[in-house]
């Protein structure tokens, strides 16, 4: 606040607070305000009267073995005796509940549980005290890690644990767990139980909310592994273009011109009704995200494709008329500027306007996408006859519906997509719109899956998977695949297998991503498009080797590390074995993953082979630490947690905050809880350097006018007569010096010779030759004055 007051200005600062700070003391800031000539007033926030009850801490062991009994201790602080209902939850499920009689001071609640499956489990103790003054600290969080062998999780549509890929991995000695897409882990805590995750031909839409974001962090920040296999429900067709997982995978799924077989003309109608102005997080509205979805479709199209974009409420508004992509210029800017307004979307108007745009194209493949609110789609008109007529004319229709299938207008939108020969995708999270628009564009372009056999050849990058992979594929010529998805290798990715086609499509790619690993196999492992390669002798060994590589390796036994909480700070300690090499020290890295994302940690050397790092626990939640001792060695430490934000910690002295505010006001020459009129009172004058440019400029102009008047009009100022006499006298002296100076010029007459004479000492002295007596300066000035007045 002090820095916000411009230099040289006075300021008035008002602190509205409960005075209960958790950072450095505020006294220096108050003194700085006083030095700047400002005033500091304080307005206290008064909490409601009532009891003060807080869960100070939930004690849990950092790590236990599977099935091991564990003791849970909750410490509760109360300022009076009362009965408090409580609940103990594990991973959101209630384990115990009841009522506890609290006495003034510290109270201990004890619970027992048996460790569940491997991974991290969150426990929460919740009190229900309605009269509590600070409800935020009536619950506390604690975590425990159940250690044990980490299997590889295979996510497949059927959930069949006996499929080919799970069986191959088990035969290779790897632990395997199989789940359906809907049961895939959606948090880092749940993913901590696994070494790697395999998505076997699974569509993105079938994964739980948040699962892709958690998987991306699992790989990059937590050192986990990810392997995606191909099929018609994976990669681009599966909706992974513009998804959180695309940057993690070693392939990119954009549609390139070389894979297109025909051009596409697409018309997109966007709902721009007033409901689209609702905020959607990160400073964006629903309309902003619909615009980004349309831009995602634009970026997925090729240069020979055409696009038209309309914004629709009760009438259509053409934003981008049907334009070929490579001739449209900056189309994204026009789309990005669409704003919400008007009533609900009139479906018939939208369909008619989109059809009119496509009527002028000569492209055979024509498609319309209607984006509408599933609870506010109106005036469909005669769609039951109009839409089938479009299909007969070669125009298809899909719908992206904002809402759920149970919304009031969902049935209408479903029927529109069915009659139009397209798809209807419902979306509740508007952040998914770019991914869904891209998926729809890829599906209608029919350019992301090849349904024919293609030969396979080995690429040099296969050596990165190890000798077993090379040995598995050296037993003979590799048969072709029966079909494959289309994607392109990232520049830094290693390509182990490629297809022998025009574009050398990468069949098997892999790379190190962040702290973890990711691989992509564009063929289908077990299905209709596996092809002859499925019967190849080395195919199973190739699958097993890829699974081992993706799963990575646990940290070597010569690395030990732990993390523990000390108040509002976590301390990480790492120790290397006595025989650790200098290279091991150079490769040592650490990072922490918390509620605010991932951040690297600075390991400071505290001994010959001992290191330490500290970081602040400044936000409620779970903090996880990963230590990397080389590319093949990642150690995940048991997590620590902060029960709740530090600002809600119970205060030993309830009056401390008010005294702090009073002290601040005293230092800042202000008041506590002043009247509103006092907040604007006080001096308004500034201090410091004042600019004199303007007044000095005016003064110079006035002096210039006076000087001209004196010279041209011959004005005399009596009071300055003595000054004039001094000026004339000085001018006379200057004239004498000028006369005495020797002036030589090639164009002037020769100067008179100097006569030399000798003084008594014999030295020579130069003397000026005689010259005419000059006219007095006063006569010169008088003559100039008469001439200026018109005389001679």
């Amino acid at each position: 606040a002090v820095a916000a007051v411009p230099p040289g200005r006075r300021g008035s600062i008002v602190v509205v607070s409960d005075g209960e700070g958790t950072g450095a003391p505020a006294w220096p800031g108050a003194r700085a305000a006083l030095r700047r000539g400002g005033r500091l007033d304080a307005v206290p926030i008064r909490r409601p009267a009532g009891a003060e009850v807080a869960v100070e801490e939930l004690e849990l062991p950092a790590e236990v073995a599977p099935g091991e009994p564990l003791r849970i201790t909750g410490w509760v602080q109360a300022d009076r005796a009362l009965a408090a209902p409580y609940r103990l939850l594990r991973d959101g499920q209630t384990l115990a509940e009841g009522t506890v009689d609290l006495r003034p001071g510290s109270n201990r609640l004890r619970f027992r549980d048996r460790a569940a499956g491997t991974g991290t489990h969150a426990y929460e103790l919740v009190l229900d005290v309605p009269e509590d003054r600070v409800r935020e600290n009536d619950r506390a969080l604690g975590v425990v890690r159940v250690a044990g062998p980490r299997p590889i999780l295979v996510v497949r549509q059927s959930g069949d644990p006996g499929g080919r890929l799970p069986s191959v991995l088990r035969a290779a000695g790897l632990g395997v767990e199989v789940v359906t897409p809907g049961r895939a882990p959606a948090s880092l805590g749940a993913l901590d139980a696994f070494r790697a995750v395999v998505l076997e031909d699974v569509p993105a839409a079938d994964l739980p909310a948040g699962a892709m974001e958690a998987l991306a962090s699992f790989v990059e920040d937590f050192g986990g592994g990810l392997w995606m296999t191909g099929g018609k429900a994976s990669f681009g067709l599966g909706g992974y273009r513009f998804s959180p997982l695309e940057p993690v995978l070693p392939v990119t799924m954009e549609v390139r011109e070389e894979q297109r077989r025909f051009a596409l003309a697409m018309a997109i109608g966007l709902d721009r009704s007033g409901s689209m102005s609702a905020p959607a997080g990160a400073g964006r509205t629903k309309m902003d995200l619909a615009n980004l979805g349309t831009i995602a479709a634009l970026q997925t199209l090729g240069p020979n494709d055409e696009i038209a974009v309309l914004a629709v409420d009760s009438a259509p508004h053409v934003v981008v008329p049907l334009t070929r992509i490579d001739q449209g210029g900056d189309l994204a800017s026009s789309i990005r500027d669409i704003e919400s307004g008007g009533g609900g979307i009139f479906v018939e108007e939208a369909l008619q306007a989109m059809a009119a745009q496509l009527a002028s194209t000569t492209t055979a493949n024509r498609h319309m996408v209607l984006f509408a609110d599933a609870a506010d789609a109106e005036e469909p008109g005669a769609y039951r006859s109009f839409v089938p007529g479009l299909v007969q004319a070669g125009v298809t229709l899909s719908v992206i519906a904002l809402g759920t299938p149970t919304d009031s207008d969902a049935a209408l939108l479903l029927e529109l997509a069915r009659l139009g020969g397209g798809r209807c995708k419902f979306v509740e999270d508007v952040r998914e719109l770019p991914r869904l628009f891209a998926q729809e564009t890829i599906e209608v372009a029919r350019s992301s899956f090849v349904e024919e056999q293609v030969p396979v050849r080995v690429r040099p990058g296969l050596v990165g998977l190890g000798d077993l992979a090379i040995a598995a594929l050296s037993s003979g010529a590799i048969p072709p695949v029966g079909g494959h998805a289309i994607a392109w290798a990232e520049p830094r990715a290693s390509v182990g297998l490629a297809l022998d086609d025009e574009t050398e499509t990468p069949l098997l790619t892999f790379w190190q991503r962040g702290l973890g690993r990711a691989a992509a196999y564009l063929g289908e492992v077990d299905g209709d498009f596996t092809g002859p390669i499925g019967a190849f002798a080395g195919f199973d060994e190739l699958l097993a080797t890829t699974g081992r590589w993706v799963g990575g390796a646990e940290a070597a036994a010569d690395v030990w590390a732990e993390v523990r909480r000390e108040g509002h700070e976590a301390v990480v300690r790492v120790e290397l074995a006595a025989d650790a090499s200098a290279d091991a020290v150079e490769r040592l890295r650490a990072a922490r993953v918390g509620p605010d994302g991932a951040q690297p940690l600075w390991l400071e050397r505290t001994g010959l082979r001992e290191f330490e790092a500290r970081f602040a626990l400044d936000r409620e939640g779970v903090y996880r630490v990963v230590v990397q001792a080389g590319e093949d060695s990642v150690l995940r430490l048991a997590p620590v947690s902060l029960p709740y934000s530090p600002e809600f910690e119970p205060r030993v002295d309830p009056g401390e905050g008010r005294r702090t505010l009073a002290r601040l006001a005293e230092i800042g020459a202000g008041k506590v809880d002043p009247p509103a009129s006092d907040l604007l009172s006080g001096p308004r004058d500034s201090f410091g350097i004042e600019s004199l440019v303007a007044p000095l400029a005016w003064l110079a102009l006035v002096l210039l006018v006076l000087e001209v008047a004196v010279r041209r009009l011959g004005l005399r100022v009596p009071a300055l007569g003595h000054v004039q006499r001094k000026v004339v006298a000085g001018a006379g002296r200057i004239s004498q010096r000028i006369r005495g100076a020797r002036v030589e010029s090639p164009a002037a007459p020769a100067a008179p010779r100097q006569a030399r004479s000798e003084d008594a000492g014999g030295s020579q002295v130069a003397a000026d030759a005689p010259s005419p007596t000059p006219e007095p300066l006063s006569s010169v000035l008088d003559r100039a004055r008469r001439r200026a007045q018109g005389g001679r």
Side-chain angles (χ1 to χ4, degrees):
V2 173
V5 178
R9 298 290 302 276
R10 296 183 183 272
S12 177
I13 299 173
V14 182
V15 177
V16 183
S17 171
D18 59 7
E20 298 177 355
T22 58
W27 320 128
R31 296 188 183 101
L34 186 63
R35 285 195 301 270
R36 291 279 296 274
R39 188 182 73 249
L40 192 151
D41 296 306
V43 177
I45 295 177
R46 294 178 174 84
R47 296 189 181 275
E52 175 55 35
V53 179
V55 184
E56 290 185 295
E57 189 175 6
L58 193 61
E59 287 184 355
L60 288 159
E63 192 171 83
V64 296
E68 179 182 345
L70 63 129
R71 177 182 298 174
I72 305 165
T73 304
W75 291 96
V76 179
Q77 185 75 26
D79 67 346
R80 66 193 65 183
L82 53 81
Y86 70 86
R87 284 186 303 142
L88 179 68
L89 299 93
R90 182 183 67 195
D91 298 332
Q93 303 296 318
T94 301
L95 285 182
E97 58 184 335
T99 301
V100 59
D101 292 324
L102 301 177
R103 65 177 187 276
S106 184
N107 300 265
R108 180 171 58 182
L109 281 68
R110 295 178 176 177
F111 307 94
R112 290 186 177 274
D113 190 24
R114 189 170 294 276
T118 56
T120 302
H121 298 278
Y123 289 82
E124 195 171 12
L125 178 60
V126 182
L127 301 180
D128 185 11
V129 185
E131 66 271 23
D132 192 5
R133 290 188 293 124
V134 183
R135 297 296 302 273
E136 292 86 353
N137 58 21
D138 289 355
R139 58 195 309 139
L141 177 71
V143 289
V144 62
R145 181 207 247 157
V146 181
R150 294 191 180 94
I152 292 178
L153 179 68
V154 178
V155 183
R156 56 200 318 253
Q157 201 67 42
S158 65
D160 178 15
R164 178 171 191 167
L165 186 55
S167 300
V168 167
L169 296 177
R170 287 194 193 95
L174 300 171
V176 177
E177 186 175 326
V178 180
V179 298
T180 58
R183 295 183 56 205
S187 68
L188 273 179
L191 287 167
D192 187 31
F194 304 101
R195 296 172 58 182
V197 176
V198 180
L199 298 177
E200 186 181 356
D201 196 20
V202 172
D206 289 356
L207 295 172
M212 287 190 286
E213 290 85 351
L215 265 175
S217 180
F218 174 66
V219 174
E220 294 191 285
D221 309 322
F222 215 41
L226 173 66
W227 181 12
M228 182 179 288
T229 69
K232 284 195 170 183
S234 192
F235 294 101
L237 281 177
Y240 290 97
R241 173 70 170 152
F242 292 117
S243 76
L245 286 185
E246 186 178 22
V248 176
L249 291 168
V251 293
T252 177
M253 289 165 263
E254 77 263 19
V255 178
R256 297 184 180 178
E257 191 60 25
E258 53 263 42
Q259 75 191 77
R260 298 291 302 278
R261 300 187 179 182
F262 43 77
L264 169 67
M266 176 180 283
I268 300 176
L270 298 176
D271 178 0
R272 68 176 293 267
S273 61
S275 62
M276 295 299 293
S277 63
R284 291 172 172 168
T285 64
K286 291 181 178 181
M287 192 76 251
D288 293 333
L289 291 169
N291 296 343
L292 291 177
T294 307
I295 293 173
L298 171 69
Q299 294 172 343
T300 306
L301 294 170
N304 296 324
D305 296 324
E306 296 172 295
I307 189 171
V309 180
L310 301 92
V312 185
D313 43 46
S314 57
H317 310 274
V318 178
V319 178
V320 176
L322 190 67
T323 306
R324 185 165 145 154
I325 302 297
D326 60 354
Q327 298 175 356
D330 189 8
L331 299 178
S333 294
S334 300
I335 298 170
R336 194 177 287 111
D337 291 339
I338 299 175
E339 297 181 351
S340 61
I345 181 172
F346 282 21
V347 173
E348 183 179 25
E349 295 284 349
L351 298 179
Q352 294 278 1
M354 287 190 290
Q357 289 293 318
L358 294 179
S360 61
T361 184
T362 58
T363 302
N365 190 20
R366 291 170 287 175
H367 187 65
M368 302 192 314
V369 178
L370 175 66
F371 170 69
D373 192 333
D376 193 20
E378 307 173 18
E379 303 294 334
Y383 70 94
R384 287 190 175 92
S385 59
F386 180 69
V387 175
L390 289 176
V391 175
Q392 291 179 0
V395 180
T396 53
L397 169 67
S398 289
V399 177
I400 297 178
L402 184 59
T404 68
T406 60
D407 287 338
S408 57
D409 297 318
L412 167 64
L413 300 179
L414 284 166
E415 189 175 8
L416 283 172
R418 180 182 61 81
L419 293 174
R423 295 150 292 278
C424 183
K425 297 181 173 70
F426 289 92
V427 55
E428 294 183 77
D429 187 352
V430 289
R431 294 174 299 177
E432 291 283 287
L433 286 175
R435 183 184 67 79
L436 290 178
F437 271 92
Q439 181 183 14
E440 176 62 27
T441 307
I442 291 172
E443 287 177 345
V444 73
R446 303 170 190 166
S447 54
S448 288
F449 196 86
V450 176
E451 299 183 14
E452 58 187 37
Q453 294 188 10
V454 184
V456 179
R457 53 193 181 89
V458 177
R459 295 292 302 273
L462 187 66
V463 69
L465 289 181
D467 296 338
L468 290 178
I470 298 175
L473 300 179
S474 62
S475 55
I478 305 174
V481 295
H484 64 90
I486 296 180
W488 313 94
E490 290 281 3
R492 295 189 301 103
S494 299
V495 180
L497 296 177
L499 298 175
D500 194 4
D501 57 8
E502 295 178 354
T503 59
E504 295 186 353
T505 303
L507 181 63
L508 176 63
T509 53
F510 50 93
W511 69 353
Q512 189 85 24
R513 180 69 180 184
L515 296 179
R517 296 174 169 185
Y521 177 71
L522 299 185
E524 193 171 24
V525 170
D526 188 12
D528 297 336
F529 297 99
T530 302
I533 194 174
F536 181 56
F539 186 60
D540 284 352
E541 183 57 39
L542 176 66
L543 297 177
T545 302
T546 306
R548 290 192 197 96
W549 184 88
V550 169
E554 297 288 346
D558 56 357
V559 179
W560 174 88
E562 72 165 2
V563 58
R564 73 170 186 269
R565 176 187 163 199
E566 294 182 357
H568 295 154
E569 196 173 47
V571 182
V572 182
R573 288 192 171 88
V574 182
E575 185 176 342
L576 299 178
D579 57 349
S581 63
D583 184 54
V585 175
E586 290 295 325
R587 293 182 301 170
L588 195 61
R589 301 286 186 274
R592 65 95 167 162
V593 185
D596 55 349
Q599 294 181 9
L601 294 178
W602 175 259
L603 288 170
E604 183 179 357
R605 184 169 236 150
T606 57
L608 185 61
R609 296 177 184 84
E610 298 170 358
F611 303 84
E612 181 178 286
R614 293 174 176 265
F615 61 91
L617 303 174
D618 52 8
R619 187 177 301 185
E620 174 187 352
V622 180
Y623 295 79
R624 298 174 171 85
V625 175
V626 181
V627 175
Q628 186 181 30
E631 280 192 7
D632 300 329
S633 183
V634 175
L635 181 62
R636 303 180 202 165
L637 307 187
V640 294
S641 65
L642 190 66
Y644 39 73
S645 177
E647 65 179 304
F648 300 125
E649 289 187 348
R651 302 285 169 172
V652 177
D653 182 2
E656 178 187 1
R658 187 170 180 82
R659 286 196 299 274
T660 298
L661 294 178
R663 177 63 177 152
L664 287 176
E666 180 185 358
I667 294 175
K671 299 178 181 179
V672 176
D673 213 0
S677 58
D678 286 3
L679 296 179
L680 300 178
S681 65
R684 294 295 192 273
D685 56 309
S686 301
F687 50 90
I689 297 175
E690 190 74 30
S691 175
L692 299 178
V693 172
L696 289 178
W698 281 107
L699 179 60
L701 180 61
V702 171
L703 292 176
L704 176 64
V705 173
L706 290 176
E707 190 267 345
V708 171
V710 169
R711 286 182 176 276
R712 295 294 184 184
L713 303 178
L715 299 178
R716 294 179 179 272
V717 184
L720 298 180
H722 67 287
V723 177
Q724 183 179 6
R725 287 192 296 272
K726 288 184 178 181
V727 171
V728 171
R733 288 193 296 271
I734 294 172
S735 176
Q736 292 176 4
R737 289 175 183 169
I738 293 175
R739 289 197 308 272
R742 180 180 180 183
V743 180
E744 295 183 358
S745 173
R753 286 174 169 264
Q754 288 183 338
R756 293 182 177 271
S757 61
E758 293 186 3
D759 59 7
S763 60
Q764 294 183 350
V765 179
D768 289 340
S771 61
T773 301
E775 185 180 6
L777 181 61
S778 58
S779 300
V780 175
L781 293 176
D782 289 340
R783 186 169 64 251
R785 185 166 54 251
R786 288 195 302 271
R787 182 174 298 176
Q789 294 174 351
R792 296 294 298 170

